[in-house]
Amino acid sequence: MTDPIPYKPAAASCPDEAGTIPPAPKPAWMQRWDQDEFEINQPGLLRVGGALLKAQGQVARDLLHEKAPARYALGCLIVTLLATLAYGAIIGSAAGPGQSLYAALKLPLVVLGSGAICLPSFYVFQCLLGARPSLAQAALGTLLLCAAAGLIVAACAPVVWFFSISIEAGTAAFLVLLHVGVVVAAIGFGIHLLARMHRYVRLYRPHRRLFHGRVLALWVVMYLLVAAQMASFLGPLMDDGEFFRGERRLFLSAFVRALK
Amino acid sequence: MQALLQFPRLCYATALSGGTPVRASLRLMAAGVVGAACWGAAMGIHVGGVHLLLTALKMPLFFAATLALCFALMHVLALAGGVRARPAQTLQVALSGLSVTSTVLGAFSPVLALFAACAPIPSNASYVNLYVFCTACGAAAGLAGARHLAMGLRALHGSTPRAVLAGWLLIYQFTGAQMAWVLRPWIGSSYGVEGYYSLSRGLTGNFYVGVGRVLLRWMQQWT
């Protein structure tokens, strides 16, 4: 396959004997990404989920060229919704079927709502610090992160479900920590994917930054805090009880209470 | 606004070399008003109701009134510092800095709104937490705005006149603190005790005297 983006190395290594500067060698993952192929316009929006795992290079190129952003956005939205619905049901399953349904409805709101809340700051700070994403690219980047994280939580769901059904009184703290671990790993995967897309695009377009690495790192911390607060506000997710308490409190107090 | 955020140098070069200063100033003002109103509304959501509406109105007023009070001094200072600018150009640079500040605050406003809406009320701990969060966001927004002010002054002058920039920041900060005092409460110190806003209460006292009194009280507690 020929490179859709002409190869222009951003950084050069030491000059060779002839005095010319050879291009920096591409890491193995970039060579893999160069070979990735995926056609977004073929039917089946759920295929976006597969592309996020198997054809990240093509997704990055499509993101750069803003190819079919609406289809990508819809695909990511569906993947995120399905994955978080399933994982939410498992979170609530420890407290019975009623709470399982409630949590299944709430978790997509937490994940996508936090993305929407953090999107303006993501876009403005990317622009301020020298990245050049359009608003559509920034929104799609956020959705890609949510979808990638969704894939990981969906993959972890059977294991977490297994632990949920074998829980006994007084050991809920273990489940809380397990959920926190899964969510952090999932978001970590999402941010890793975005960071690689940033590096991939940077190699081919040295003067065009799609995302700013430092903003990504800081933003993900803010995203996690906002998601924790959203979850606390929309809670309870794990306790048996009503659908929505609407209790005004900081997420830390809810977290400490859950651990107790 | 997107162009100002992404290509500030090009924007300043185009806007300050003639063009349509009034139109550009109006656009900058509109962007600033929207951002500031969103930030004000997010602050006011902690108390809710009429307070939300009032803070959404007060925040753009705060920025605009402070600039109106400081503008003459800022322009004179720029001229004294060797920046040969017309008043319209000074206004455009000042507005661009404020617009960027307001836009950054506006970008943070959904996050603040979530935390303000969820914070218990009345609670001093919530008030202090929100206050710290607002201060941190304000500092980030202020830095972004100051960076754009520096770029604007560089476009006018050729290089950044540091003394002028420092003077502008000092003047705006000094007056802004008192303006914020007059327009208080912001986050929720009203809590329905003294009504949502009272101009006569706002005009009593002074920010700097108030800070001095708090410091004095702390020192008396420690000694």
Side-chain angles (χ1 to χ4, degrees):
Chain A
M1 183 201 147
T2 52
D3 265 358
I5 314 175
Y7 179 54
K8 288 182 207 159
S13 52
C14 297
D16 60 15
E17 286 173 2
T20 55
I21 298 174
K26 277 197 246 184
W29 66 267
M30 276 193 192
Q31 290 173 20
R32 258 195 331 270
W33 279 33
D34 282 344
Q35 307 302 319
D36 287 343
E37 283 183 63
F38 170 68
E39 179 48 56
I40 179 68
N41 287 320
Q42 281 177 5
L45 285 168
L46 276 177
R47 290 166 55 252
V48 171
L52 285 175
L53 298 172
K54 296 183 297 191
Q56 295 111 325
Q58 187 62 52
V59 176
R61 291 190 290 268
D62 288 349
L63 181 66
L64 176 71
H65 298 308
E66 294 196 58
K67 182 183 172 187
R71 275 188 75 81
Y72 265 111
L74 201 58
C76 288
L77 208 62
I78 292 172
V79 168
T80 312
L81 270 175
L82 291 178
T84 47
L85 265 172
Y87 195 78
I90 286 165
I91 289 180
S93 66
Q99 194 52 247
S100 184
L101 177 68
Y102 290 167
L105 294 174
K106 286 178 199 171
L107 196 65
L109 271 180
V110 170
V111 173
L112 292 169
S114 306
I117 284 177
C118 295
L119 175 63
S121 49
F122 180 69
Y123 173 66
V124 166
F125 275 91
Q126 292 288 358
C127 293
L128 276 176
L129 291 184
R132 299 283 174 265
S134 64
L135 187 57
Q137 284 170 327
L140 197 52
T142 312
L143 277 173
L144 285 173
L145 185 146
C146 290
L151 290 172
I152 299 298
V153 293
C156 292
V159 177
V160 178
W161 171 77
F162 177 63
F163 279 99
S164 299
I165 55 167
S166 53
I167 199 79
E168 58 179 351
T171 56
F174 172 79
L175 261 190
V176 173
L177 291 176
L178 186 64
H179 290 314
V180 170
V182 167
V183 170
V184 168
I187 299 284
F189 173 72
I191 209 78
H192 174 70
L193 181 69
L194 280 193
R196 277 201 161 175
M197 283 183 175
H198 154 69
R199 284 173 60 195
Y200 185 68
V201 169
R202 192 86 203 273
L203 186 82
Y204 292 112
R205 294 272 194 278
H207 304 297
R208 168 85 194 271
R209 271 193 189 187
L210 200 52
F211 301 117
H212 193 285
R214 257 179 263 163
V215 175
L216 270 181
L218 285 174
W219 182 80
V220 78
V221 174
M222 192 169 82
Y223 179 85
L224 283 172
L225 292 177
V226 168
Q229 185 60 42
M230 280 277 276
S232 158
F233 184 62
L234 292 174
L237 289 174
M238 284 178 70
D239 305 342
D240 202 0
E242 65 271 56
F243 178 69
F244 178 62
R245 274 191 208 133
E247 200 180 337
R248 293 181 76 153
R249 60 183 176 176
L250 190 66
F251 70 92
L252 279 175
S253 61
F255 183 67
V256 169
R257 195 197 297 174
L259 281 181
K260 281 176 182 169
Chain B
M1 200 62 218
Q2 186 183 3
L4 183 65
L5 291 175
Q6 293 195 338
F7 310 102
R9 287 188 185 90
L10 186 67
C11 263
Y12 285 121
T14 316
L16 297 173
S17 62
T20 51
V22 178
R23 214 166 164 195
S25 297
L26 282 175
R27 276 185 190 162
L28 286 171
M29 239 156 92
V33 165
V34 172
C38 288
W39 178 250
M43 270 183 169
I45 215 168
H46 182 55
V47 172
V50 181
H51 187 69
L52 187 153
L53 202 66
L54 276 176
T55 44
L57 291 172
K58 279 194 291 181
M59 189 53 78
L61 182 69
F62 160 74
F63 280 113
T66 308
L67 181 62
L69 290 174
C70 299
F71 180 70
L73 184 56
M74 285 163 81
H75 184 58
V76 169
L77 188 72
L79 293 177
V83 181
R84 298 283 169 260
R86 296 192 305 275
Q89 289 176 317
T90 310
L91 181 67
Q92 227 172 321
V93 171
L95 273 178
S96 65
L98 282 183
S99 298
V100 169
T101 305
S102 305
T103 304
V104 173
L105 288 176
F108 275 127
S109 58
V111 182
L112 174 66
L114 174 72
F115 281 92
C118 296
I121 183 170
S123 153
N124 193 46
S126 304
Y127 179 77
V128 173
N129 286 339
L130 289 175
Y131 192 86
V132 169
F133 182 77
C134 289
T135 308
C137 292
L143 279 176
R147 194 165 153 256
H148 271 72
L149 269 187
M151 283 182 201
L153 282 172
R154 197 180 308 145
L156 276 176
H157 188 59
S159 61
T160 308
R162 287 187 184 176
V164 174
L165 179 65
W168 277 23
L169 294 177
L170 188 73
I171 294 162
Y172 198 86
Q173 194 64 45
F174 183 77
T175 317
Q178 181 59 20
M179 185 61 76
W181 175 274
V182 170
L183 292 174
R184 75 193 190 279
W186 292 99
I187 296 171
S189 59
S190 62
Y191 285 142
V193 178
E194 298 171 49
Y196 291 106
Y197 180 70
S198 150
L199 184 64
S200 57
R201 175 177 171 262
L203 288 172
T204 49
N206 172 303
F207 172 79
Y208 299 97
V209 174
V211 169
R213 281 196 189 128
V214 171
L215 286 176
L216 204 65
R217 212 181 305 149
W218 279 358
M219 281 166 71
Q220 282 168 347
Q221 279 175 358
W222 282 100
T223 52

